[in-house]
Amino acid sequence: MGVLLPVPAEAFLSAAAAAYYTLPIFITLFSAVFIGDRISKTGWFAVVLGFLGVLLILRPKAADFNAYALLPLISAMLYAGAMIVTRTRCRDEHPLSLSLALNIGFIIVGGFAAAMILLLPIELRQGFLLSPWTPMGKAEWISMGLLAAAILVGSIGAAIAYQNGPPAMIGAFDFAYVGFAVIWGIVFFNETPDVIASSGMIMIVGAGVLSLRQ
């Protein structure tokens, strides 16, 4: 009888990330279907190229995908829908208002989730997400402040981009997230990407260049 070994959490994370980064594909598809944007062959090729680059970096295995992988896939579809709504219905809204509404939504949902976690028995509250609260020092508060500023800049920038640019082109640049994750890994953690991951980064950059040329 075989022994079941625990599956590394990073394996599921890579599968979830790969599922989520179907996002630009949904943005391109929705922009063509719902707002009539004409997507050139170059535009579609850029989306596919970027997604392949993400897969080279993450390299999820088929065994890593399960029913939970549907959650980031649904998230990608909802995000794509939100960006189409931003383009079609919120073009005249101030980006600060859109960013404020987004972050208020984060606070409400996060507060609700935290309250639900508090209702769980102590024996179930293990790991990063469900663990008890711990005291925060000066470094942690500074990190939270920097992260808050980063998400504020990012959310305002995304609102401006989707209000004014073609959703398919902006969506292609969403793949850059994974590439920058590798870059920050090099800068802050001395991680060295292998040849396959480096090829994936090159493909993502190429997808961005192609999306500008469509």
Side-chain angles (χ1 to χ4, degrees):
M1 184 176 179
V3 178
L4 294 178
L5 297 177
V7 179
E10 56 268 20
F12 293 117
L13 181 61
S14 64
Y20 179 73
Y21 274 93
T22 56
L23 166 63
I25 297 175
F26 284 116
I27 291 177
T28 303
L29 180 62
F30 289 175
S31 64
V33 172
F34 295 115
I35 61 179
D37 280 358
R38 181 182 175 276
I39 312 299
S40 67
K41 291 181 180 179
T42 302
W44 282 111
F45 181 72
V47 170
V48 173
L49 183 66
F51 184 62
L52 292 176
V54 170
L55 291 181
L56 284 181
I57 292 174
L58 299 177
R59 276 167 278 177
K61 300 178 179 64
D64 298 335
F65 288 92
N66 52 39
Y68 293 109
L70 292 176
L71 295 177
L73 189 64
I74 293 171
S75 175
M77 295 176 67
L78 293 175
Y79 183 91
M83 295 306 99
I84 297 301
V85 170
T86 300
R87 173 68 170 172
T88 57
R89 305 294 184 184
C90 304
R91 293 190 68 175
D92 297 326
E93 297 291 333
H94 198 285
L96 283 175
S97 299
L98 296 176
S99 176
L100 180 62
L102 173 68
N103 286 282
I104 288 176
F106 286 160
I107 293 172
I108 293 173
V109 174
F112 177 77
M116 295 299 292
I117 289 172
L118 288 175
L119 298 177
L120 292 174
I122 293 296
E123 58 269 17
L124 294 180
R125 294 174 58 187
Q126 302 297 325
F128 170 75
L129 183 61
L130 304 179
S131 61
W133 291 99
T134 57
M136 292 179 56
K138 181 179 178 181
E140 286 77 16
W141 283 109
I142 292 175
S143 297
M144 284 190 65
L146 293 174
L147 290 172
I151 189 62
L152 184 63
V153 172
S155 58
I156 293 174
I160 294 173
Y162 280 105
Q163 280 179 324
N164 297 283
M169 183 183 73
I170 305 302
F173 280 93
D174 264 304
F175 287 129
Y177 169 89
V178 181
F180 276 108
V182 176
I183 292 173
W184 297 137
I186 297 171
V187 173
F188 294 111
F189 304 109
N190 294 319
E191 297 175 349
T192 304
D194 56 21
V195 174
I196 296 177
S198 299
S199 299
M201 293 175 62
I202 293 172
M203 292 171 70
I204 291 173
V205 172
V209 174
L210 286 174
S211 69
L212 290 175
R213 295 173 59 87
Q214 68 161 322

